[in-house]
């Protein structure tokens, strides 16, 4: 099937491809395609949507990058399990590439979500999950090596987000947790002699979780991310 050629009255190829993407997403949203289900062949989909196979191929490629579908060698194209972590994986690129004021904006978002996730975790965390959080806190306190502190800092917050019991929120927070940025923060805090302060902030979060106190947990997490946010504002300003 041929699409209109570029020129007067022609439909831009990007628009055709985008229409195909939206139609496949709609089919999934409407339950016509379920997680794990095999898609019709590229030829069948192209005929069904009235577009060329090349545009259909571009649409499938885009949906693959987004984590909506996956190619299985020798088997075909399948809808993924549509897990939040897979669908939001590309969100992390924003945090990795943002600089200056945009990074401050991302930290504002993280402060809101992190405080909410920590409050939820205080109400829902299991003894086993609390032990994991405590283990990462102890490991952070036992070393001055920035790389080790960074690894346990990431794991500390990831464990709390998982304990909140909201996979979508955890996936967004994971995307906002740029390892490159956090490494820069830890280096800056070390140069400013602020390690002790950040350790106290992490300890306050842990105490609120252990006490099963959602409001104290919310306040402790907001204060912790707020300190990072204020530090970054000063960095951007200078």
């Amino acid at each position: 099937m041929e699409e209109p050629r570029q020129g007067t009255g022609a439909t831009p190829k990007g628009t055709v491809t985008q229409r195909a993407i939206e139609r496949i997403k709609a089919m999934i949203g409407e339950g016509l395609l379920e997680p794990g289900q095999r898609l019709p062949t590229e030829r069948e989909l192209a005929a069904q949507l009235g577009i060329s196979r090349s545009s259909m191929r571009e649409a499938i490629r885009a949906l693959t990058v987004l984590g909506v579908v996956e190619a299985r060698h020798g088997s075909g194209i399948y809808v993924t399990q549509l897990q939040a972590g897979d669908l939001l994986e590309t969100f992390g690129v924003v945090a990795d590439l943002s600089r200056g004021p945009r990074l401050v904006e991302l930290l504002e978002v993280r402060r809101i979500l992190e405080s909410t996730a920590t409050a939820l975790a205080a109400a829902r965390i299991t003894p086993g999950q609390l032990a994991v959080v405590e283990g990462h806190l102890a490991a952070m306190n036992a070393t001055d090596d920035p790389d080790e502190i960074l690894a346990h800092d990431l794991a500390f917050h990831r464990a709390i987000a998982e304990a909140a019991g909201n996979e979508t929120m955890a996936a967004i927070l994971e995307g906002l947790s740029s390892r490159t940025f956090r490494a820069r923060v830890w280096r800056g805090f070390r140069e400013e002699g602020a390690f002790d302060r950040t350790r106290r902030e992490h300890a306050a979060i842990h105490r609120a979780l252990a006490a099963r106190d959602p409001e104290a947990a919310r306040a402790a997490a907001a204060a912790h991310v707020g300190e990072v946010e204020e530090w970054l504002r000063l960095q951007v300003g200078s």
Side-chain angles (χ1 to χ4, degrees), residues 16-25 49 51 55-56 59:
V16 174
T17 301
Q18 186 61 40
R19 190 169 69 240
I21 291 170
E22 294 303 321
R23 181 56 192 142
I24 293 173
K25 286 164 59 179
L49 300 183
I51 65 175
S55 289
M56 191 69 252

Side-chain angles (χ1 to χ4, degrees), residues 26-64:
M27 291 168 70
I28 295 171
E30 295 165 6
L32 300 176
L33 290 171
E34 297 287 349
Q37 184 176 339
R38 185 180 184 276
L39 269 67
T41 65
E42 184 182 283
R43 182 189 298 276
E44 291 169 338
L45 278 173
Q48 181 179 339
L49 300 183
I51 65 175
S52 70
R53 290 184 65 182
S54 63
S55 289
M56 191 69 252
R57 194 173 300 120
E58 288 180 15
I60 294 298
R61 187 179 300 120
L63 289 167
T64 301

Side-chain angles (χ1 to χ4, degrees), residues 105-136:
E105 290 180 2
L106 290 177
L107 268 178
E108 289 179 344
V109 175
R110 184 184 154 211
R111 173 164 47 84
I112 294 168
L113 293 181
E114 191 96 46
S115 57
T116 300
T118 307
L120 287 172
R124 300 172 176 176
I125 198 166
T126 67
Q129 289 172 325
L130 184 61
V132 172
V133 173
E134 185 173 351
H136 291 300

Side-chain angles (χ1 to χ4, degrees), residues 164-213:
N166 186 313
E167 291 185 9
T168 302
M169 187 181 296
I172 294 173
L173 282 169
E174 184 73 17
L176 289 170
S177 300
S178 166
R179 184 181 181 89
T180 301
F181 170 68
R182 284 189 184 234
R184 176 186 168 196
V185 170
W186 277 112
R187 284 196 301 270
F189 281 178
R190 185 181 192 183
E191 292 168 1
E192 296 172 9
F195 265 16
D196 288 341
R197 184 188 71 213
T198 56
R199 283 171 171 151
R200 287 195 300 270
E201 291 167 0
H202 282 88
I205 292 172
H206 172 260
R207 283 196 302 273
L209 293 174
R212 303 297 197 277
D213 188 333

